[in-house]
Amino acid sequence: MLAGSGKHALDILAEAGDLDGKVVWDVTNPLDFSQGFPPSLTVANTDSLAEQLQRAHPSARVVKALNMVANAVMVDPSRLPGDSTLILCGDDADAKAQMTGVLEGFGWTDLGGLDGARGMESWLLLWTRLYGALGTGDFNLKLIR
Ligand SMILES: NC(=O)c1ccc[n+]([C@@H]2O[C@H](COP(=O)([O-])OP(=O)(O)OC[C@H]3O[C@@H](n4cnc5c(N)ncnc54)[C@H](OP(=O)(O)O)[C@@H]3O)[C@@H](O)[C@H]2O)c1
């Protein structure tokens, strides 16, 4: 799992050694707090941090998952009443299948390829504002259709 600051994520992964064939579970967000709270994003719209990580390590299998919920919710989904939805994406189907095995307690939705991370990371623009408005990170998305 890559869970370092988004600002240093590329440097951190560069120090991880041989990632050939390994699943890199990317929970990072490209948050820029240089102008205070709420943060902006260092990359967005036509690219994402997850894609930058994948490009830097083409033989690794990057899966973006769990970046959209607070760490307390990540490890204990029962903090929220009822079911909620996790979103994940990645270019490698087997790697995503491994990830869904650890998402117990959540429903999940697969966005497809790793470029889905553009939307997942951009959610943080809204997540941080909801956090400010609600005063807690105990919330998540629930997809209803
Ligand atoms: N916290 C959450 O609820 C949450 C939820 C979803 C996603 N995320 C994402 O998960 C990541 C980690 O979140 P966090 O809240 O734990 O952030 P954080 O408190 O900023 O922790 C960042 C971690 O990165 C390490 N780090 C910073 N610069 C480094 C470098 N150059 N080389 C190696 N390690 C370095 C820090 O080590 P030191 O302690 O030694 O400085 C620290 O352990 C972030 O990308 C964040 O957006 C967090």
Side-chain angles (χ1 to χ4, degrees):
M1 178 194 283
L2 177 61
S5 85
K7 198 161 113 183
H8 299 293
L10 281 159
D11 291 339
I12 294 168
L13 204 58
E15 291 176 20
D18 181 13
L19 295 174
D20 191 22
K22 293 201 174 138
V23 177
V24 176
W25 174 1
D26 173 26
V27 306
T28 64
N29 285 301
L31 301 179
D32 177 359
F33 288 98
S34 61
Q35 304 301 312
F37 187 91
S40 59
L41 302 176
T42 58
V43 56
N45 197 21
T46 56
D47 198 7
S48 63
L49 183 52
E51 290 167 281
Q52 292 178 343
L53 293 163
Q54 182 69 80
R55 285 199 298 274
H57 301 273
S59 63
R61 300 183 289 161
V62 177
V63 177
K64 191 97 198 176
L66 283 175
N67 68 305
M68 294 173 63
V69 292
N71 51 5
V73 174
M74 255 181 227
V75 298
D76 182 11
S78 71
R79 292 173 72 89
L80 308 179
D83 298 332
S84 61
T85 309
L86 282 185
I87 295 172
L88 78 160
C89 70
D91 293 335
D92 187 288
D94 288 340
K96 284 190 288 191
Q98 285 183 41
M99 284 304 311
T100 57
V102 297
L103 300 183
E104 211 171 310
F106 293 98
W108 52 270
T109 298
D110 182 353
L111 283 186
L114 196 59
D115 58 0
R118 299 171 191 181
M120 294 172 67
E121 293 172 5
S122 294
W123 160 244
L124 267 292
L125 293 176
L126 182 55
W127 189 96
T128 48
R129 284 161 176 80
L130 286 168
Y131 176 77
L134 301 172
T136 175
D138 281 353
F139 62 90
N140 189 20
L141 288 173
K142 180 168 185 170
L143 294 187
I144 300 171
R145 54 187 173 165

